[in-house]
């Protein structure tokens, strides 16, 4: 076991994949000499060469589009999109090509492409650097969308994503890049919890709190703050955003009768809406209260001085928990 | 250099206009790195009206924006700005082109053209709003005829082309100019902008500052040929100029703007310069860049070059230098004051301007958030990640 940051853990996972499979190639802007703007690919070009770790020209559509061609040729491209807000020039290649080629060719062509996207806010960046675009991709069938919430998962899931024959969007919570955690590098990704499974992180009786990516830490903090007030919260890290692993959520809500979902992305059309609707369909008679969403607002990501107002923090999550429990909360007395 | 421009007297621009350097390195030059004015049969025409006084004023502008840059970098280091993209080394490219524009021209730039914004008369506090994290845009684009800086690489080239389509439709006598880097030429948007500009022959100038680096990526990774030659394939005439030579940049920009206004369509200018600082204050160029390269380019510094020319002309007096320094210091002090006294934005500001008219959907979220903040005695305590209760 070693203590690694998220960034180093992903780096170690990429290194393992490059070592284990000569068909793995990394593509992206500044990923070579510089090691990426977040240093996630630090040292990999030096050790694996410029044909395995490719600094590409500055063109996102080309980066993903050429990954499609490489995949046709039997490679397993791992693409880095430098920041969440720069994925949109590649959107067409991702949703029209990457997502659909397996279906369109009736399974003849595999698209084992991993698209790494640093995502989410909280780092004080200018516009286009703090987006949460996951819902655009969860809405597109054929893509797997995953995100990680601790360095061990960061290490293991990146390897699972690369060895998966489907295209995977791997969202990296960039404000957690420097957070450290225990990583067991001897873990065999094939034996570990599969990337499309959710994980129950705390055992709770009163409320089920679903989070993913950057907000898992906040959710855990909220759960321990709630415990001080005698409220027991079951925190679930969704991990896979498409497809969602509903079984643990259903089991939990059957037990607690209350659901809170939290994410940084805006509320409308977000994953929280999907989870709330699915759980309502499946657990209607077990629910003691309407599911509650604690999310970013339906606004463009705000300038950094105010981003903490947009991002759900511990207190906003607890306010949501109070709503689910029918305790006094900021909306008490309001109808609908 | 490739251009079909017929200059004054109808002379065809020579293939290798300017001062030929090593093969493939030819570009238009009117001032040598040593500060010697060299004449050019065609391009002298475009700067023939520049008086000694105006040369001194270009020197002042370049010195002032370098000072602005240094001050903003210091503000970032002191925690007053979240980030800053330095333009150190690109002063001639920005002032030479910026001073060639008319008030009714319209600029679509990247995040690095603070010198151009200065030429447009930007309020210095406005220049910093975005980098301080207080706003998404620093100014009203129509107030200085310059769009707020673009971060999505290359997107602004399409906007300039569209604006120029509008100018053409309106039959107006103006031009649009778009600034972008060498890296940007790889983006699909830039190619698409050139396709439209050429197809419709609109009055737009593509001003590409080849500062040799796109963060850590050298220009040779973006293009196998000179960037100026890339435009030719789209049917757009191009000019390659010494971007550290303020007169050469002026001559090229004035020619391109004149062509645009006369209905001659788009022009692509590659200004060959060098980013002497980091990409942004968050970047560490020692990871990818050879120190010798920086030294070579320091010898071609745009400001000392113009100073050299002024000196040869006997214009670089102690008085001028003092006057320019005083001006630069005053501008920097004014900018610092504007930065440190800028009021913080208010929480509810995040809901403003999402739509042009209010709607109940967003108003509900806004109302709920106001109630939430009100539920805390101290609203500031409500928004830390650690929580307040
Ligand atoms: C679409 C997009 N992709 C990536 C980035 C990240 N990024 C910001 S600046 C930059 C390099 C740009 O280089 P260049 O176009 O040469 O301009 P310069 O910064 O040198 O002025 C990159 C990759 C971005 N802002 N937008």
């Amino acid at each position: 076991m070693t203590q690694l940051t998220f960034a180093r853990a992903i780096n170690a996972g990429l290194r393992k994949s490059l070592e284990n499979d000569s068909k793995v190639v990394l593509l992206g802007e500044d990923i070579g000499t510089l090691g990426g703007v977040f240093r996630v690919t630090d040292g990999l070009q030096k050790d694996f060469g410029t044909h395995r770790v490719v600094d590409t020209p500055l063109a996102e559509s080309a980066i993903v589009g050429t990954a499609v061609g490489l995949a046709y040729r039997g490679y397993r491209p791992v693409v880095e999109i430098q920041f969440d807000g720069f994925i949109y020039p590649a959107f067409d290649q991702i949703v029209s090509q990457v997502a659909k080629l397996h279906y369109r060719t009736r399974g003849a062509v595999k698209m084992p492409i991993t698209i790494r996207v640093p995502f989410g806010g909280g780092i004080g960046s200018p516009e286009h650097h703090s987006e949460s675009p996951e819902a655009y991709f969860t809405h597109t069938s054929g893509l797997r969308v995953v995100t990680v919430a601790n360095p061990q998962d960061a290490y293991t899931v990146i390897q699972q994503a690369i060895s998966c024959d489907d295209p995977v969007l791997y969202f990296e919570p960039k404000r957690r890049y420097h957070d450290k955690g225990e990583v067991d590098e001897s873990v065999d990704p094939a034996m570990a919890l599969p990337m499309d499974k959710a994980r129950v992180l705390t055992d709770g009786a009163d409320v089920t709190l679903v989070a993913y990516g950057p907000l898992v830490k906040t959710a855990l903090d909220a759960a321990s703050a709630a415990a001080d007030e005698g409220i027991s919260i079951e925190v679930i890290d969704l991990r896979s955003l498409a497809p969602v692993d509903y079984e643990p959520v259903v089991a939990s809500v059957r037990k607690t009768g209350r659901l809170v979902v939290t994410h940084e992305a805006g509320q409308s059309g977000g994953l929280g809406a999907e989870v709330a609707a699915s759980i309502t369909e499946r657990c209607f008679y077990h629910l003691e209260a309407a599911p509650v969403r604690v999310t970013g607002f339906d606004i463009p990501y705000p300038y950094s001085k105010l981003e903490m107002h947009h991002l759900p923090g511990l207190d906003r999550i607890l306010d949501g928990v109070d709503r689910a429990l029918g305790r006094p909360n900021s909306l008490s007395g309001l109808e609908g | 250099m490739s251009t079909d421009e017929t200059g004054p007297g109808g002379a065809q621009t020579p293939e290798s206009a300017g001062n030929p350097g090593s093969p493939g390195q030819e570009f238009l030059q009117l001032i040598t790195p040593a500060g010697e004015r060299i004449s050019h049969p065609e391009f002298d025409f475009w700067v023939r009206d520049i008086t000694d006084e105006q040369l001194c004023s270009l020197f002042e502008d370049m010195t002032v924006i370098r000072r602005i840059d240094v001050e903003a970098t210091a503000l970032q280091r002191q925690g007053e700005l979240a980030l800053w993209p330095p333009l150190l080394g690109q002063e001639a490219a920005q002032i030479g082109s910026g001073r060639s524009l008319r008030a009714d021209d319209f600029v679509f730039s990247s995040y690095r053209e603070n010198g151009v914004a200065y030429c447009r008369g930007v309020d210095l506090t406005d220049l910093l709003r975005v980098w301080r994290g207080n706003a998404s845009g620093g100014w009203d684009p129509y107030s200085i005829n310059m769009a707020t800086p673009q971060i999505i690489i290359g997107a602004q080239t399409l906007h300039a082309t569209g604006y120029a389509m509008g100018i053409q439709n309106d039959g107006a006598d103006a031009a649009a100019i778009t600034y972008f880097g060498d890296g940007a030429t790889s983006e699909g948007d830039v190619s698409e902008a050139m396709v439209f500009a050429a197809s419709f022959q609109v009055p737009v100038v593509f001003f590409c500052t080849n500062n040799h680096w796109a963060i850590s990526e050298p220009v040779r990774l973006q293009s196998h040929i000179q960037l100026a030659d890339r435009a030719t394939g789209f049917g757009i005439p191009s000019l390659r100029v010494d971007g550290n030579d303020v007169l050469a940049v002026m001559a090229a920009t004035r020619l391109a703007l004149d062509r645009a206004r006369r209905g001659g369509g788009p022009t692509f200018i590659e200004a060959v310069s060098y980013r002497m600082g980091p990409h942004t204050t968050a970047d560490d160029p020692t990871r990818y860049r050879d120190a010798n390269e920086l030294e070579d380019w320091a010898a071609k510094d745009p400001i000392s070059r113009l100073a050299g020319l002024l000196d040869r002309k006997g214009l670089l007096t102690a008085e001028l230098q003092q006057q320019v320094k005083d001006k630069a210091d005053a501008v920097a002090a004014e900018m610092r004051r504007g930065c440190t006294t800028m009021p913080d934005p208010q929480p509810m500001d995040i809901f403003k301007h999402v739509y042009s008219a209010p709607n109940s959907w967003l108003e509900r979220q806004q109302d709920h958030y106001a109630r939430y903040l009100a539920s805390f005695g101290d609203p500031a305590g409500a928004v830390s990640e650690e929580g307040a209760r």
Side-chain angles (χ1 to χ4, degrees), chain A residues 140-182:
Chain A
T140 298
S141 310
L143 297 175
R144 291 178 182 270
V145 182
V146 301
T147 175
V148 289
N150 62 67
Q152 180 69 60
D153 262 5
Y155 171 76
T156 312
V157 173
I158 188 65
Q159 296 179 69
Q160 293 174 334
I162 294 170
S163 56
C164 175
D165 278 342
D166 292 325
V168 181
L169 277 114
Y170 177 89
F171 281 104
E172 303 173 4
K174 70 169 90 81
R175 72 163 134 146
R176 307 290 183 212
Y177 269 143
H178 302 297
D179 290 4
K180 279 193 168 173
E182 292 278 310

Side-chain angles (χ1 to χ4, degrees), chain A:
Chain A
M1 290 280 236
T2 36
Q3 283 275 330
L4 291 182
T5 62
F6 265 77
R8 291 308 302 176
I10 300 168
N11 180 279
L14 290 169
R15 176 176 291 277
K16 268 265 156 67
S17 298
L18 282 159
E19 276 165 6
N20 292 343
D21 185 348
S22 64
K23 292 295 183 189
V24 172
V25 289
L26 273 49
L27 305 164
E29 296 161 5
D30 301 296
I31 68 169
T33 328
L34 186 65
V37 292
F38 293 107
R39 311 286 185 261
V40 172
T41 55
D42 200 13
L44 297 178
Q45 188 182 64
K46 196 168 124 281
D47 295 344
F48 294 93
T50 51
H51 289 283
R52 305 279 314 276
V53 180
V54 185
D55 262 333
T56 66
L58 222 161
E60 290 74 13
S61 180
I63 295 171
V64 175
T66 54
V68 169
L70 280 160
Y72 256 106
R73 179 80 192 168
Y75 284 89
R76 308 187 87 86
V78 183
V79 157
E80 175 176 302
I81 298 293
Q82 198 161 75
F83 275 90
D84 33 39
F86 311 146
I87 198 168
Y88 307 112
F91 194 71
D92 172 56
Q93 287 293 332
I94 296 172
V95 304
S96 309
Q97 308 301 329
V98 173
K100 301 191 173 98
L101 269 163
H102 190 252
Y103 194 75
R104 282 159 55 201
T105 60
R106 299 210 266 166
V109 175
K110 301 247 188 305
M111 282 290 131
I113 298 175
T114 302
I115 302 176
R116 295 181 34 238
V117 193
F119 89 123
I123 64 163
S125 272
E127 56 178 1
H128 308 298
H129 287 78
S130 299
E131 313 228 325
S132 300
E134 60 270 22
Y136 294 116
F137 302 102
T138 59
H139 194 66
T140 298
S141 310
L143 297 175
R144 291 178 182 270
V145 182
V146 301
T147 175
V148 289
N150 62 67
Q152 180 69 60
D153 262 5
Y155 171 76
T156 312
V157 173
I158 188 65
Q159 296 179 69
Q160 293 174 334
I162 294 170
S163 56
C164 175
D165 278 342
D166 292 325
V168 181
L169 277 114
Y170 177 89
F171 281 104
E172 303 173 4
K174 70 169 90 81
R175 72 163 134 146
R176 307 290 183 212
Y177 269 143
H178 302 297
D179 290 4
K180 279 193 168 173
E182 292 278 310
V183 177
D184 180 356
E185 291 188 53
S186 68
V187 162
D188 177 358
M191 306 304 289
L193 180 68
M195 65 177 181
D196 56 2
K197 295 285 177 228
R199 184 189 282 132
V200 180
L201 298 182
T202 60
D203 189 28
D206 300 330
V207 179
T208 301
L209 174 57
V210 171
Y212 58 84
L215 285 189
V216 170
K217 177 178 184 296
T218 317
L220 287 171
D221 291 346
S224 62
D228 295 343
E229 297 180 35
I231 302 166
S232 146
I233 297 182
E234 186 145 304
V235 177
I236 298 182
D237 174 5
L238 219 45
R239 299 173 84 243
S240 177
L241 312 186
V244 170
D245 175 23
Y246 279 112
E247 304 321 321
V249 188
V250 166
S252 178
V253 171
R254 289 203 164 149
K255 182 170 62 165
T256 64
R258 301 176 200 269
L259 172 69
V260 176
V261 194
T262 187
H263 54 64
E264 292 187 6
Q267 181 168 299
S268 300
L271 200 68
E274 184 58 40
V275 171
S278 296
I279 291 304
T280 305
E281 282 174 354
R282 293 166 77 155
C283 304
F284 187 71
Y285 293 107
H286 292 86
L287 281 167
E288 307 277 346
V292 170
R293 287 172 287 168
V294 182
T295 69
F297 301 112
D298 291 335
I299 58 172
Y301 197 86
Y303 24 99
S304 58
K305 276 260 168 77
L306 295 181
E307 65 182 334
M308 66 289 203
H309 289 282
H310 175 67
L311 299 171
L314 185 159
D315 283 315
R316 257 175 80 201
I317 293 175
L318 290 178
D319 191 62
V321 168
D322 287 341
R323 252 181 285 156
L325 283 166
R327 293 179 16 131
N329 63 79
S330 69
L331 303 184
S332 293
L334 269 191
E335 270 180 51

